[in-house]
């Protein structure tokens, strides 16, 4: 008999196995898996490319795995950023996934949120199934709803968080929507006392954008670990 | 700008307005709303009737509201039971909604769970959208997955809970899957120290069963309050 596994347990299990070193571009990152039919690969990569260029993904590095009829695409999950902070000794806690309303290209607030420690169903699965996003709308007009997630860390770690985020950005790993000030709300969500909140774009915006473009995709978010050496820049694959 | 509203806030807002007195069959209960096309009403009521007779609903009392083309059906929400306990002075706390695996007509465990205080998207909406239930299978074979929910109360209130549940059962309001012993798991989910857990069938099994029968239904769970005097026994409506 399988016990109930809440999403946070799955996340922390993967986080502790991450070995990514952004300076050396070595080690394992957390990846999401998108599965498409062979015929849809080119269109999917084109949508991914646009979405990455709109700043709605974590990294331009992807891995394409050819199979019979179906193709799997591994893309970076935003929890990789948290895992790297953790490996630098920052006690960062993933709180939840949700939808972020964007107005004139500015993220304004979370409109929906599911806490990781309180759901056995992946929040991203929930939100994509509900069809509440409007990622392509955001890309076209600057207004829409994108997938994002929220994390917390002790406020004294804020400088160190900035350093690690800077090192990650150098390695092409980005997607910070907001790093809050101590004890201040982040995109309308309160954080614990003496903590800072960090909102990141969901790596799953890629897959969700493909879905919005009527591409028949299956996806598994926060699915596994992939060594960065196996990933290529999407421009090499178009 | 609308603030984030977690499901528990919506629930407690309705709970405090419940005035149902089971002995006198008077007052307001919490209801779910199912909307169907006029042509589908008879089939929907037939599925509801079977589901109620299989013990998968809270009450056989329903209200049919005729509209142009579309018909709304109000059915009892299981949170009505919690609200009546609350009105009897029992500090009962709705914890979450989930899926319960049933084996040979015995509920065995929760296989999925979303905590009410940690999600802005209704757990029932989540689970029905994921298509993880198998309610009609349970009705046919005794094995399947049904919607259920979990509540907690202080262990010293256990006798009073039994009394209130008995009074509710006399009034035709049932659906207890398990009332746990102090500090003991309920269907595989742990409860807080010095508390008892109470698992109830989700009133939304009715709507979910109709969906499984390919009836085109829209639904809003934990939607509003309805006076019991406006509801009729489903047998009068078939």
């Amino acid at each position: 008999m399988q016990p109930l596994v809440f999403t946070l347990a799955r996340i922390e299990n993967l986080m502790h196995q991450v070995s990514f070193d952004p300076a050396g571009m070595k080690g394992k990152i957390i990846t999401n898996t998108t599965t498409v039919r062979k015929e849809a690969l080119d269109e999917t990569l084109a949508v991914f490319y646009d979405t990455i260029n709109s700043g709605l993904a974590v990294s331009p590095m992807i891995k394409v795995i050819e199979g019979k009829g179906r193709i799997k695409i591994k893309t970076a999950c935003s929890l990789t950023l948290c895992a790297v902070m953790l490996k630098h000794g920052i006690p960062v806690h993933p709180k939840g996934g949700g939808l972020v309303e964007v107005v004139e290209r500015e993220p304004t607030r979370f409109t929906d949120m599911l806490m990781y420690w309180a759901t056995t169903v992946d929040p991203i699965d929930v939100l994509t199934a509900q069809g509440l996003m409007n990622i392509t709308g955001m890309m076209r007009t600057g207004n829409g709803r994108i997938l994002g997630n929220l994390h917390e860390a002790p406020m004294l770690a804020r400088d160190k968080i900035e350093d690690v985020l800077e090192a990650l950005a150098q390695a092409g790993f980005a997607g910070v929507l907001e790093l809050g000030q101590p004890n201040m709300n982040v995109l309308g969500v309160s954080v614990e006392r003496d903590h800072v909140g960090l909102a990141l774009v969901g790596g799953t915006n890629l897959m969700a954008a493909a879905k919005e473009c009527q591409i028949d995709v299956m996806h598994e978010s926060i699915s596994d670990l992939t060594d960065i050496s196996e990933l290529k820049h999407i421009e090499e694959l178009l």
Side-chain angles (χ1 to χ4, degrees), chain A:
Chain A
M1 186 166 126
Q2 270 196 313
L4 276 187
V5 180
F6 286 86
T7 303
L8 184 60
R10 285 203 306 119
I11 287 174
E12 292 195 324
N13 183 37
L14 286 173
M15 276 173 70
H16 106 269
Q17 299 177 74
V18 165
S19 57
F20 181 51
D21 162 30
M25 271 309 250
K26 279 185 186 159
K28 291 193 166 110
I29 66 168
I30 301 176
T31 38
N32 302 316
T33 308
T34 309
T35 309
V36 293
R37 279 177 301 109
K38 224 164 206 159
E39 310 85 79
L41 179 63
D42 288 347
E43 193 187 355
T44 306
L45 290 181
V47 174
F48 278 19
Y49 185 70
D50 288 347
T51 311
I52 290 167
N53 283 340
S54 299
L56 297 181
V58 174
S59 158
M61 305 294 283
I62 68 169
K63 178 183 179 182
V64 175
I65 305 167
E66 307 254 349
K68 267 196 277 177
R70 291 255 165 196
I71 290 181
K72 282 186 195 302
I73 311 172
K74 304 272 177 193
T75 55
C77 174
S78 49
L79 290 159
T80 301
L81 279 70
C82 292
V84 172
M85 286 185 236
L86 179 69
K87 300 293 163 169
H88 280 76
I90 302 167
V92 61
H93 299 287
K95 301 299 280 184
L99 282 179
V100 176
E101 185 160 33
V102 180
V103 179
E104 293 178 3
R105 305 214 172 264
E106 281 294 313
T108 59
R109 61 173 187 131
F110 279 99
T111 58
D112 272 292
M113 170 71 68
L114 291 97
M115 301 299 186
Y116 291 130
W117 31 272
T119 174
T120 59
V121 185
D122 185 315
I124 300 303
D125 289 348
V126 170
L127 297 163
T128 51
Q130 300 285 319
L132 296 169
M133 319 89 57
N134 183 5
I135 296 158
T136 49
M138 188 268 149
M139 287 159 65
R140 272 199 320 273
T141 67
N143 302 313
R145 285 185 185 186
I146 63 170
L147 297 164
N149 43 59
L150 184 68
H151 314 278
E152 269 182 27
M155 65 182 189
L156 291 179
R158 198 175 186 281
D159 288 348
K160 198 159 181 187
I161 291 171
E162 285 192 320
D163 293 345
V164 175
L165 288 175
E166 176 57 31
L168 282 159
Q170 295 283 336
F173 278 73
V176 176
L177 293 172
E178 186 177 336
L179 173 60
Q181 293 298 327
N183 294 315
M184 297 296 282
N185 284 0
V186 171
L187 301 180
V189 180
S190 58
V191 299
E192 266 181 71
R193 196 191 153 94
D194 299 337
H195 281 67
V196 291
L198 172 65
L200 301 175
V201 296
T204 39
N205 279 310
L206 293 174
M207 167 281 300
K211 241 183 202 177
E212 279 186 36
C213 294
Q214 314 294 333
I215 302 174
D216 177 26
V217 296
M218 291 195 302
H219 78 104
E220 208 187 329
S221 55
I222 324 172
S223 60
D224 50 12
L225 298 156
T226 309
D227 199 283
I228 190 73
S229 65
E230 299 171 22
L231 278 70
K232 288 186 178 153
H233 197 290
I234 190 166
E235 285 181 355
E236 295 177 43
L237 296 161
L238 285 176

